[in-house]
């Protein structure tokens, strides 16, 4: 943020009507002190070279360097701006999560939805200023989910187990479940280092939350939050080994 406490914003979209609408709503918000606009990634990088910004509102699908690629470039800045993706599509939500996006806004944009994004940007820029808080944010990234027509950012740590549903995955939390457009195989690969393990072709679970590994007539099941999830034969041995290693680590502490 700048010295007056307001935001310096860059809006990037290759479609002039969409860029004009986005700029109109951003200029109307009193928290925006200065707004720049760019029609492509090249122009955006030129503007960023000439001055710092606090947040970039960024379209994903653009010719040349697209929004995701530009976001990866911005992450390498010494002082990277917050990123808010603004798009008509929902298939980039998981990649946005991986890139640490502050928010993910669906087109057509609404003034109240952009106001919420700016609130999140201010919170993300001010609250996690302590190195320990920043480290926690890195360790527990968020994933965009749709809830009552609004995109919310769900911490990965809140996900207790994941269920495959075709090309989608259903994230189960203590409060409910959320459907996201990403395959279970993709999440299994990306979340392995965070302690998520594949127990079945249709299920991914947090290893530390397994209360029981139980033998039933049809084979093994794991129990999480009183819910039984099947364990396939091909995953049984690996799961047992991981549970034993996790237990030994707990004993040695």
């Amino acid at each position: 943020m700048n010295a007056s406490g307001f935001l310096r914003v860059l809006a990037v979209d290759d479609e002039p009507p969409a860029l004009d609408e986005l700029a109109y709503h951003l200029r109307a918000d009193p928290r925006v002190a200065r707004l720049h606009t760019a029609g492509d990634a090249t122009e955006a990088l030129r503007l960023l070279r000439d001055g710092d910004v606090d947040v970039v509102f960024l379209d994903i699908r653009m010719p040349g360097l697209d929004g995701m690629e530009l976001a990866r470039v911005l992450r390498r800045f010494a002082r990277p701006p917050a990123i808010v993706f603004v798009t008509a599509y929902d298939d980039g939500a998981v990649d946005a999560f991986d890139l640490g996006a502050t928010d993910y806004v669906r087109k057509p944009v609404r003034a109240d939805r952009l106001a919420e994004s700016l609130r999140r940007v201010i919170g993300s820029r001010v609250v996690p200023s302590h190195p320990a808080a920043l480290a926690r944010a890195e360790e527990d990234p968020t994933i965009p989910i749709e809830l009552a027509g609004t995109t919310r950012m769900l911490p990965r740590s809140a996900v207790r187990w994941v269920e495959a549903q075709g090309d989608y995955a259903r994230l189960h939390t203590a409060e409910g479940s959320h459907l996201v457009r990403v395959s279970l195989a993709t999440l299994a690969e990306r979340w392995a280092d965070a302690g998520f393990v594949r127990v079945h072709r249709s299920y991914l679970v947090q290893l530390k939350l397994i209360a029981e590994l139980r033998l039933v007539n049809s084979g093994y099941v794991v129990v999480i939050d009183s819910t039984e999830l099947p364990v396939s034969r091909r995953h049984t041995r690996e799961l047992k080994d991981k549970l034993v290693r996790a237990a030994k680590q707990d004993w040695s502490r």
Side-chain angles (χ1 to χ4, degrees):
M1 260 180 295
N2 59 20
S4 65
F6 291 107
L7 295 168
R8 300 161 295 184
V9 180
L10 171 61
V12 187
D13 198 312
D14 66 304
E15 298 180 356
L19 183 59
D20 290 344
E21 181 182 23
L22 179 60
Y24 172 80
H25 289 304
L26 289 171
R27 286 194 180 99
D29 194 294
R31 291 166 293 188
V32 176
R34 186 166 74 243
L35 175 69
H36 297 287
T37 61
D40 56 36
T42 301
E43 184 180 3
L45 288 171
R46 179 181 60 78
L47 290 168
L48 289 164
R49 180 193 61 203
D50 294 339
D52 291 335
V53 301
D54 299 300
V55 54
V56 179
F57 283 79
L58 182 57
D59 186 27
I60 292 180
R61 298 192 179 182
M62 298 187 296
L65 197 69
D66 67 20
M68 289 294 180
E69 292 167 331
L70 177 56
R72 292 186 181 95
V73 173
L74 299 182
R75 285 191 67 184
R76 296 198 291 268
F77 280 25
R79 296 180 60 188
I83 300 293
V84 174
F85 287 107
V86 183
T87 176
Y89 308 93
D90 63 359
D91 56 357
V94 171
D95 287 333
F97 145 72
D98 280 345
L99 288 169
T102 302
D103 206 352
Y104 191 92
V105 179
R106 292 289 300 280
K107 295 178 180 179
V109 297
R110 306 190 316 269
D112 60 336
R113 186 65 185 86
L114 288 178
E116 170 67 11
S117 287
L118 290 170
R119 184 193 67 77
R120 294 181 188 182
V121 167
I122 292 171
S124 71
R125 305 298 276 182
V126 175
V127 175
S129 56
H130 190 277
L134 287 171
R136 286 194 297 271
E138 288 287 329
E139 293 169 359
D140 190 18
T142 56
I143 185 168
I145 59 169
E146 290 292 326
L147 187 63
T150 300
T151 304
R152 302 292 186 189
M153 307 304 283
L154 177 73
R156 182 176 59 191
S157 61
V159 179
R160 305 182 76 77
W161 50 282
V162 185
E163 179 182 7
Q165 293 192 347
D167 293 332
Y168 290 74
R170 183 167 292 279
L171 311 180
H172 292 265
T173 70
E175 290 75 32
S177 65
H178 310 280
L179 195 65
V180 295
R181 190 174 180 178
V182 60
S183 70
L184 190 73
T186 298
L187 288 181
E189 179 181 350
R190 295 181 178 181
W191 291 8
D193 292 342
F196 283 82
V197 296
R198 192 81 172 260
V199 298
H200 189 275
R201 68 170 180 264
S202 297
Y203 296 101
L204 180 70
V205 304
Q206 275 215 55
L207 184 70
K208 66 182 180 181
L209 298 181
I210 295 176
E212 293 182 50
L213 175 62
R214 180 189 304 161
L215 181 62
V216 297
N217 293 335
S218 57
Y220 281 94
V221 298
V222 291
V223 180
I224 295 181
D225 298 335
S226 301
T227 299
E228 293 186 355
L229 303 174
V231 179
S232 64
R233 288 184 179 180
R234 66 185 296 259
H235 290 102
T236 299
R237 173 53 59 189
E238 182 181 5
L239 177 61
K240 286 181 177 179
D241 291 343
K242 288 182 177 180
L243 287 170
V244 169
R245 286 198 298 269
K248 288 181 177 178
Q249 288 177 353
D250 288 339
W251 296 337
S252 63
R253 287 174 184 171

